[in-house]
Structure formats: C-alpha cells, structure tokens
C-alpha cells in the first residue's frame, strides 16, 4: 500500500507543529485534494472531514509541542514528526512519499525511512503536497489539525491570530500577554527570535514609564 506524509506549522511562534500520514488506495481520496495552502479554510476542512470519515483511509497524526521545539532542532523534529505520523499507519512492505522537509530531499527520505518501525520504503520530493494526492491529503489533515489547535488556543487566551511571526494579531497578543504576566504564554516557542524582539520592545516600553 502507498502512503503520503506532510507537516504543517513549522514556522509559527505560537503553538505546535503537526504531521499527518495518509495510507489509502488513491481511488478512496476525494476529488479536489491539493496542497492545503491552495485551498480555502472551508474547503480544506470539508476534505479533512471526508478523509477522517472514510474507513478506507488510514490516518496517522503527530504533534510536536513548543516544549519539544524549544529543546530540539527543527530539521530533526520535522523528521521525527513524519516518522511518528507514519508509524501510526504504515505496515511492512508499504511505499511512502514525504513532502521533503530538507533542502536535500534524498537525505530527508533516508532519515525518515531509518526512523520507521515498519520495514517500508520512503521517497521525498519538494512540492509533493501539490503533485501527489496522498501527500496532498496528508497536507490537508496536518493543516486541519494545526488550525483546530490554534482555535483551541483562541478559546483559552482570546484572539491569537494565526500564530505566525508575521501576523500583527499574534505579535500584539504576545506583547500584551508579556506586559500583563511578565512571561510568554505556555504554547509559545520561546526560542524563536520573535520572542526576543517582543521582550526587548516590552522592556524598552517599560523604561519609558520612568
């Protein structure tokens, strides 16, 4: 059987990264599967729900928390995410394709294959989420998991934005939180340079009060 793997949420300063693996006959995949970034949120969630509701589709999901990210290396953790997602569904003899999480696609494939518990073969390619339907399906599910995670953070903390450093809403939320609590909220990747910039700006603002 074939399978595809992709991750979502590698770059945000807030929240976890997720990886998904999809093991299924290609004819079980719904029409319209594509790189999740090319799909509207509503279309992406509708496809994710169809995938989750089809017994022919095996799904593995892995979450890499901010704590793991701050303590580790993103290249290694991206490999780990693909391995953990794939290990949940892959069987001996399967063949899989990953969206390459390394500039060297062959190296990334070898590292994922070496980490698998099952005796399966792995290839990797850049842009596989757009060119391969199984990887595209994994992209949709990983992005859906990431968006549900961000929604749970908004339920907990109020409006947090997308979690990406370039999002003004996210940066405003983090700055307000630090000003009010003296520390970043628990789901923050504190090792990101964004946090250093925000803390410096907050401290400078505080000096202006004197």
């Amino acid at each position: 059987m074939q399978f595809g793997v992709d991750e979502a949420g590698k770059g945000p300063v807030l929240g976890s990264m997720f990886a998904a693996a999809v093991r299924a006959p290609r004819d079980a995949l719904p029409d319209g599967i594509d790189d999740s970034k090319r799909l509207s949120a509503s279309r992406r969630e509708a496809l994710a729900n169809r995938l989750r509701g089809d017994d022919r589709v095996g799904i593995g999901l892995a979450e890499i928390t901010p704590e793991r990210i701050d303590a580790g290396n993103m290249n290694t953790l991206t490999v780990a995410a693909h391995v953990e997602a794939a290990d949940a569904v892959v069987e001996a003899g399967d063949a899989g394709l990953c969206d390459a999480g390394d500039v060297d696609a062959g190296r990334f494939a070898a590292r994922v294959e070496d980490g698998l518990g099952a005796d399966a073969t792995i290839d990797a390619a850049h842009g596989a989420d757009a060119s391969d339907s199984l990887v595209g399906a994994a992209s949709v599910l990983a992005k859906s998991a990431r968006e549900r995670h961000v929604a749970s953070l908004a339920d907990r903390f109020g409006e947090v934005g997308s979690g990406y450093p370039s999002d003004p809403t996210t940066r405003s939320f983090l700055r307000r939180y630090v000003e009010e609590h003296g520390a970043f909220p628990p789901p923050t990747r504190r090792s990101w340079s964004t946090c250093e910039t925000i803390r410096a700006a907050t401290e400078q603002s505080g000096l202006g009060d004197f």
Side-chain angles (χ1 to χ4, degrees), residues 60-136:
L61 193 66
E63 178 179 3
I64 306 297
T65 64
E67 291 79 12
R68 288 180 68 182
I69 291 169
D70 285 340
N73 171 279
M74 278 304 294
N75 288 335
T76 299
L77 288 169
T78 303
V79 171
H82 281 235
V83 169
E84 290 171 23
D87 265 341
V89 292
V90 171
E91 298 180 8
D94 286 350
L97 177 65
C98 296
D99 190 64
D102 187 332
V103 294
D104 186 331
R107 176 174 60 195
F108 186 79
R111 293 181 71 190
V112 174
E113 185 172 306
D114 287 346
L116 289 178
D119 183 15
T121 59
I122 293 285
D123 197 1
H126 297 110
D129 49 356
S131 62
D132 184 272
S133 58
L134 283 167
V135 181

Side-chain angles (χ1 to χ4, degrees), residues 10-183:
K10 185 186 292 186
V13 65
L14 188 66
S16 300
M17 174 173 71
F18 292 83
V22 173
R23 179 182 186 269
R26 290 184 184 274
D27 60 9
L29 301 178
D31 292 337
I33 290 290
D34 198 352
D35 173 2
S36 63
K37 296 183 292 296
R38 298 181 180 181
L39 301 170
S40 68
S42 59
R43 177 61 176 157
R44 187 167 51 237
E45 195 61 18
L47 288 169
N49 286 333
R50 287 187 63 184
L51 289 164
R52 285 189 284 256
D54 193 328
D55 292 339
R56 298 170 296 170
V57 179
I59 297 170
L61 193 66
E63 178 179 3
I64 306 297
T65 64
E67 291 79 12
R68 288 180 68 182
I69 291 169
D70 285 340
N73 171 279
M74 278 304 294
N75 288 335
T76 299
L77 288 169
T78 303
V79 171
H82 281 235
V83 169
E84 290 171 23
D87 265 341
V89 292
V90 171
E91 298 180 8
D94 286 350
L97 177 65
C98 296
D99 190 64
D102 187 332
V103 294
D104 186 331
R107 176 174 60 195
F108 186 79
R111 293 181 71 190
V112 174
E113 185 172 306
D114 287 346
L116 289 178
D119 183 15
T121 59
I122 293 285
D123 197 1
H126 297 110
D129 49 356
S131 62
D132 184 272
S133 58
L134 283 167
V135 181
S139 172
V140 166
L141 288 164
K143 182 67 170 176
S144 174
R146 164 71 191 175
E147 290 182 339
R148 290 182 173 201
H149 173 63
V150 173
S152 74
L153 297 181
D155 289 342
R156 180 178 175 187
F157 296 105
E159 182 57 61
V160 299
S162 66
Y164 280 85
S166 60
D167 187 336
T169 302
T170 296
R171 295 178 72 92
S172 295
F173 160 68
L174 291 175
R175 180 163 180 167
R176 286 196 309 273
Y177 194 95
V178 171
E179 288 172 347
E180 293 173 9
H181 301 277

